[in-house]
mmCIF file of all heavy atoms in Angstrom:
data_model
loop_
_atom_site.group_PDB
_atom_site.id
_atom_site.type_symbol
_atom_site.label_atom_id
_atom_site.label_comp_id
_atom_site.label_asym_id
_atom_site.label_seq_id
_atom_site.Cartn_x
_atom_site.Cartn_y
_atom_site.Cartn_z
ATOM 1 N N SER A 25 135.033 -41.790 -105.369
ATOM 2 C CA SER A 25 135.402 -42.601 -106.518
ATOM 3 C C SER A 25 135.067 -44.132 -106.203
ATOM 4 O O SER A 25 135.175 -44.996 -107.173
ATOM 5 C CB SER A 25 136.829 -42.430 -106.943
ATOM 6 O OG SER A 25 137.656 -42.802 -105.911
ATOM 7 N N LYS A 26 134.695 -44.392 -104.953
ATOM 8 C CA LYS A 26 134.534 -45.795 -104.651
ATOM 9 C C LYS A 26 133.052 -45.933 -104.136
ATOM 10 O O LYS A 26 132.383 -45.048 -103.770
ATOM 11 C CB LYS A 26 135.419 -46.119 -103.465
ATOM 12 C CG LYS A 26 136.878 -45.970 -103.809
ATOM 13 C CD LYS A 26 137.666 -46.924 -102.828
ATOM 14 C CE LYS A 26 139.099 -46.914 -103.420
ATOM 15 N NZ LYS A 26 139.887 -48.048 -102.841
ATOM 16 N N ALA A 27 132.618 -47.138 -104.228
ATOM 17 C CA ALA A 27 131.188 -47.449 -103.784
ATOM 18 C C ALA A 27 131.168 -47.179 -102.278
ATOM 19 O O ALA A 27 132.032 -47.506 -101.520
ATOM 20 C CB ALA A 27 130.922 -48.996 -104.017
ATOM 21 N N LEU A 28 130.006 -46.617 -101.911
ATOM 22 C CA LEU A 28 129.873 -46.124 -100.522
ATOM 23 C C LEU A 28 128.808 -46.919 -99.818
ATOM 24 O O LEU A 28 127.726 -47.173 -100.287
ATOM 25 C CB LEU A 28 129.465 -44.719 -100.486
ATOM 26 C CG LEU A 28 130.545 -43.758 -101.064
ATOM 27 C CD1 LEU A 28 130.025 -42.243 -101.007
ATOM 28 C CD2 LEU A 28 131.828 -43.846 -100.314
ATOM 29 N N TYR A 29 129.121 -47.304 -98.526
ATOM 30 C CA TYR A 29 128.044 -47.828 -97.684
ATOM 31 C C TYR A 29 127.352 -46.793 -96.866
ATOM 32 O O TYR A 29 126.130 -46.863 -96.708
ATOM 33 C CB TYR A 29 128.713 -48.818 -96.608
ATOM 34 C CG TYR A 29 127.956 -49.330 -95.533
ATOM 35 C CD1 TYR A 29 126.953 -50.239 -95.876
ATOM 36 C CD2 TYR A 29 128.001 -48.825 -94.289
ATOM 37 C CE1 TYR A 29 126.162 -50.828 -94.824
ATOM 38 C CE2 TYR A 29 127.138 -49.398 -93.277
ATOM 39 C CZ TYR A 29 126.227 -50.330 -93.575
ATOM 40 O OH TYR A 29 125.412 -50.760 -92.517
ATOM 41 N N SER A 30 128.134 -45.740 -96.483
ATOM 42 C CA SER A 30 127.339 -44.660 -95.677
ATOM 43 C C SER A 30 128.167 -43.360 -95.947
ATOM 44 O O SER A 30 129.347 -43.374 -96.348
ATOM 45 C CB SER A 30 127.366 -45.005 -94.254
ATOM 46 O OG SER A 30 128.663 -44.972 -93.612
ATOM 47 N N VAL A 31 127.371 -42.334 -95.675
ATOM 48 C CA VAL A 31 127.966 -40.930 -95.694
ATOM 49 C C VAL A 31 127.599 -40.245 -94.401
ATOM 50 O O VAL A 31 126.470 -40.294 -93.929
ATOM 51 C CB VAL A 31 127.517 -40.110 -96.823
ATOM 52 C CG1 VAL A 31 128.108 -38.669 -96.767
ATOM 53 C CG2 VAL A 31 127.848 -40.796 -98.176
ATOM 54 N N HIS A 32 128.587 -39.697 -93.777
ATOM 55 C CA HIS A 32 128.354 -38.947 -92.564
ATOM 56 C C HIS A 32 128.652 -37.388 -92.871
ATOM 57 O O HIS A 32 129.412 -37.113 -93.665
ATOM 58 C CB HIS A 32 129.338 -39.219 -91.431
ATOM 59 C CG HIS A 32 129.273 -40.637 -90.945
ATOM 60 N ND1 HIS A 32 129.439 -40.980 -89.628
ATOM 61 C CD2 HIS A 32 129.088 -41.886 -91.606
ATOM 62 C CE1 HIS A 32 129.396 -42.258 -89.463
ATOM 63 N NE2 HIS A 32 129.156 -42.857 -90.616
ATOM 64 N N TRP A 33 127.985 -36.544 -92.121
ATOM 65 C CA TRP A 33 128.199 -35.119 -92.184
ATOM 66 C C TRP A 33 128.491 -34.569 -90.777
ATOM 67 O O TRP A 33 127.747 -34.904 -89.853
ATOM 68 C CB TRP A 33 127.062 -34.388 -92.822
ATOM 69 C CG TRP A 33 126.961 -34.572 -94.279
ATOM 70 C CD1 TRP A 33 126.126 -35.456 -94.893
ATOM 71 C CD2 TRP A 33 127.613 -33.793 -95.301
ATOM 72 N NE1 TRP A 33 126.337 -35.293 -96.244
ATOM 73 C CE2 TRP A 33 127.218 -34.314 -96.587
ATOM 74 C CE3 TRP A 33 128.573 -32.804 -95.274
ATOM 75 C CZ2 TRP A 33 127.648 -33.877 -97.712
ATOM 76 C CZ3 TRP A 33 129.049 -32.364 -96.466
ATOM 77 C CH2 TRP A 33 128.609 -32.853 -97.758
ATOM 78 N N TYR A 34 129.533 -33.791 -90.669
ATOM 79 C CA TYR A 34 129.983 -33.206 -89.368
ATOM 80 C C TYR A 34 130.107 -31.716 -89.598
ATOM 81 O O TYR A 34 130.519 -31.277 -90.709
ATOM 82 C CB TYR A 34 131.313 -33.840 -88.848
ATOM 83 C CG TYR A 34 131.036 -35.299 -88.443
ATOM 84 C CD1 TYR A 34 131.041 -36.222 -89.468
ATOM 85 C CD2 TYR A 34 130.871 -35.622 -87.119
ATOM 86 C CE1 TYR A 34 130.766 -37.561 -89.057
ATOM 87 C CE2 TYR A 34 130.753 -36.912 -86.764
ATOM 88 C CZ TYR A 34 130.692 -37.913 -87.680
ATOM 89 O OH TYR A 34 130.464 -39.237 -87.259
ATOM 90 N N ARG A 35 130.051 -30.904 -88.508
ATOM 91 C CA ARG A 35 130.365 -29.529 -88.551
ATOM 92 C C ARG A 35 131.341 -29.223 -87.486
ATOM 93 O O ARG A 35 131.255 -29.643 -86.356
ATOM 94 C CB ARG A 35 129.092 -28.612 -88.347
ATOM 95 C CG ARG A 35 129.340 -27.137 -88.381
ATOM 96 C CD ARG A 35 128.130 -26.256 -88.341
ATOM 97 N NE ARG A 35 127.293 -26.496 -87.165
ATOM 98 C CZ ARG A 35 125.989 -26.425 -87.170
ATOM 99 N NH1 ARG A 35 125.353 -26.012 -88.191
ATOM 100 N NH2 ARG A 35 125.324 -26.665 -85.990
ATOM 101 N N GLN A 36 132.329 -28.420 -87.908
ATOM 102 C CA GLN A 36 133.473 -28.017 -86.876
ATOM 103 C C GLN A 36 133.479 -26.589 -86.880
ATOM 104 O O GLN A 36 133.795 -25.852 -87.857
ATOM 105 C CB GLN A 36 134.817 -28.657 -87.404
ATOM 106 C CG GLN A 36 135.857 -28.352 -86.327
ATOM 107 C CD GLN A 36 137.221 -28.932 -86.803
ATOM 108 O OE1 GLN A 36 137.537 -29.136 -87.996
ATOM 109 N NE2 GLN A 36 138.126 -29.258 -85.774
#
Side-chain angles (χ1 to χ4, degrees):
Chain A
S25 59
K26 300 202 170 195
L28 299 177
Y29 171 72
S30 71
V31 178
H32 297 217
W33 286 96
Y34 292 78
R35 177 171 62 207
Q36 183 180 28

